[in-house]
Amino acid sequence: MKKIFAHIAFVTLCINLFAQSLEPPKLDCPIRIPAAPSGTFAEIRTNHFHGGLDLRIGGDEGVGLPVYAPADGYVSRLRISAYDGGKMLYINHQGNITTVYLHLDGYHGEIADYVLDFQRRNQCYAFDTTLSEGVLPVHRGDLIAYAGNSGMSGGPHLHYEVRNTRTQQSLNPLAWGIALEDTIAPTLRGVRLMPVDKNTRINHGKSTYQVSLSDKPGTLGCEDNPIPVLGRFYVGVWASDRSKGSTLNNGYERIDIWVDGRPFFQYNVNKITFGDTRAINAQLDYSRYCSTKEPYILTRRLSGDPAKPARTYGDGSIGFIDSDTTLHRLTIAVTDYNGNQTVRCIYLRNQYEVLVPMHDVPEHPSYHLFSDSLTVRWPLSISRGNYQIEMPAGMPYYDDL
């Protein structure tokens, strides 16, 4: 009987040790100066979300700032490019977590020796190689590299990523041990009401309406002077955030919108799949972004959007029934990762109901066509002269220009 209990105890210990090895580690900040971002996770960039956290290192004088391993692990990939991320380093940790470092000035110790030896043996500068566990192990706090400005970098900084090792999805580093000194609420920079169709009227006009954010009494959109609306419309929100030592136009964590106190919309990107990152254009007021670089996030939900960064009610449009002429409150809240929040209420009043007609549209055998959108049924390739368009199956394309 004692042997049975001893065996059970041994098996239980082994299971507990195995389970602990699967737990993601607590990650330390890879630099030993106060974290101040010049770019935050999921910030909107041209055709993509920003996949990591850009940490300021003090300008040109900070080039060569030591970078330390945030936890035990091993170097799983080394990559050097004259473009892109410049000198790059990947470390795999327990619990299916990988940390990534871009724009490095150089490597340290055995990692630097390995890079130099690889370049000499292969007679190359640029390379991309993976390493097995045990080749270059690292421990928490080890000096591994030096921050810099290599590759396609707009200035000296450390681009730091936390990824799911198996899927390579990028995760928010602020959820993995990076602490910001931040008591500053995000800034709501603009709100726009966009007509769904030609039957919509906003403040008696057919065009997208720019809401005034002035606190002056009597401003259109305040409780005493609501914006008149007719038909269905989307809401667009442009916001930014900052923290101590950061630049002015960093990203925020999420946007929430309520209609008369009921949840209507939430935008919150907590992971990024690199293959879907271009789908950010589906969430933007794209024509506005192309002309002004103002990244208005729309409540509009497009079918087939693989990124799905937002949750919304229905198709993301707001409309009121014919008999409803009561005052309506649109509440917009922008929140950063430290919980600092900016809230704004905009008041609306319905005029009367508009019935939106449905139209039959002829179909092409390889795609559906609905007014300003095209949905591909199966992979489609179109060539015209020097141009070629490849459309994957199931992907919708919308004319926002």
Side-chain angles (χ1 to χ4, degrees):
M1 183 64 69
K2 291 183 179 180
K3 290 183 178 181
I4 294 176
F5 283 127
H7 180 71
I8 293 174
F10 177 74
V11 171
T12 302
L13 177 62
C14 290
I15 292 173
N16 289 335
L17 290 174
F18 179 72
Q20 290 175 11
S21 71
L22 296 179
E23 291 181 1
K26 177 187 179 299
L27 300 178
D28 297 333
C29 183
I31 56 175
R32 293 181 179 173
I33 60 174
S38 58
T40 51
F41 178 78
E43 271 185 8
I44 296 165
R45 306 288 175 89
T46 301
N47 292 326
H48 70 287
F49 295 104
H50 186 231
L53 187 67
D54 287 344
L55 296 171
R56 302 180 71 182
I57 60 174
D60 291 337
E61 294 181 359
V63 172
L65 181 75
V67 177
Y68 300 92
D72 294 350
Y74 68 94
V75 176
S76 58
R77 183 181 178 187
L78 288 163
R79 182 182 173 201
I80 293 181
S81 170
Y83 309 100
D84 197 16
K87 296 178 179 179
M88 295 167 265
L89 171 65
Y90 297 67
I91 298 177
N92 282 9
H93 307 276
Q94 72 177 32
N96 196 39
I97 292 296
T98 298
T99 53
V100 184
Y101 314 80
L102 274 61
H103 309 300
L104 298 170
D105 188 56
Y107 305 95
H108 178 77
E110 292 183 0
I111 302 174
D113 294 339
Y114 186 95
V115 168
L116 183 59
D117 180 65
F118 187 96
Q119 290 173 322
R120 286 174 174 171
R121 284 188 290 106
N122 293 276
Q123 297 185 2
C124 66
Y125 171 75
F127 69 90
D128 187 354
T129 187
T130 57
L131 290 80
S132 301
E133 185 174 1
V135 177
L136 287 175
V138 298
H139 298 94
R140 184 186 300 274
D142 283 355
L143 178 57
I144 54 175
Y146 303 94
N149 194 30
S150 61
M152 296 181 67
S153 170
H157 71 283
L158 175 65
H159 176 96
Y160 175 63
E161 296 182 18
V162 178
R163 295 187 187 180
N164 179 302
T165 303
R166 181 178 59 82
T167 65
Q168 284 299 291
Q169 286 178 319
S170 191
L171 312 172
N172 191 345
L174 294 180
W176 293 87
I178 301 289
L180 300 181
E181 186 175 342
D182 182 10
T183 59
I184 305 171
T187 300
L188 183 61
R189 301 171 70 90
V191 176
R192 289 161 63 83
L193 307 181
M194 174 183 287
V196 168
D197 52 43
K198 64 182 180 180
N199 298 295
T200 303
R201 302 290 185 275
I202 303 171
N203 193 29
H204 312 293
K206 299 181 180 180
S207 303
T208 297
Y209 180 74
Q210 186 78 43
V211 178
S212 173
L213 298 180
S214 170
D215 292 323
K216 184 178 178 181
T219 298
L220 189 61
C222 71
E223 189 171 4
D224 296 331
N225 190 16
I227 301 169
V229 294
L230 179 155
R232 295 181 295 128
F233 59 91
Y234 304 116
V235 181
V237 177
W238 173 30
S240 63
D241 190 34
R242 59 180 301 189
S243 58
K244 184 176 181 180
S246 73
T247 52
L248 293 178
N249 297 315
N250 292 159
Y252 42 85
E253 186 191 17
R254 73 177 195 268
I255 297 172
D256 293 278
I257 298 178
W258 297 266
V259 178
D260 296 328
R262 296 181 178 180
F264 173 72
F265 174 84
Q266 184 181 86
Y267 171 86
N268 183 10
V269 182
N270 52 32
K271 61 183 178 181
I272 296 171
T273 301
F274 290 100
D276 297 336
T277 188
R278 285 181 65 92
I280 178 56
N281 294 333
Q283 198 67 57
L284 294 175
D285 182 345
Y286 189 62
S287 60
R288 179 76 176 186
Y289 183 70
C290 288
S291 61
T292 67
K293 296 302 179 184
E294 297 171 355
Y296 277 85
I297 298 295
L298 288 180
T299 59
R300 178 186 63 185
R301 183 172 68 181
L302 301 181
S303 61
D305 178 3
K308 295 181 175 62
R311 294 182 296 170
T312 188
Y313 181 81
D315 66 352
S317 66
I318 299 172
F320 307 109
I321 62 174
D322 186 11
S323 59
D324 181 4
T325 57
T326 58
L327 187 69
H328 293 280
R329 183 179 73 253
L330 186 70
T331 305
I332 300 171
V334 185
T335 310
D336 65 23
Y337 194 81
N338 279 23
N340 303 302
Q341 188 177 79
T342 293
V343 180
R344 183 81 185 201
C345 291
I346 298 166
Y347 291 87
L348 312 166
R349 193 183 297 278
N350 184 47
Q351 298 303 294
Y352 57 85
E353 183 184 28
V354 174
L355 298 178
V356 181
M358 299 297 294
H359 300 283
D360 294 327
V361 182
E363 295 184 3
H364 184 278
S366 63
Y367 55 81
H368 291 298
L369 184 63
F370 298 102
S371 61
D372 62 347
S373 69
L374 177 149
T375 301
V376 181
R377 283 177 169 174
W378 55 74
L380 182 66
S381 178
I382 301 174
S383 297
R384 294 290 186 275
N386 295 326
Y387 296 92
Q388 182 168 332
I389 300 175
E390 300 289 341
M391 299 181 178
M395 179 64 73
Y397 292 83
Y398 290 80
D399 181 8
D400 274 353
L401 298 177

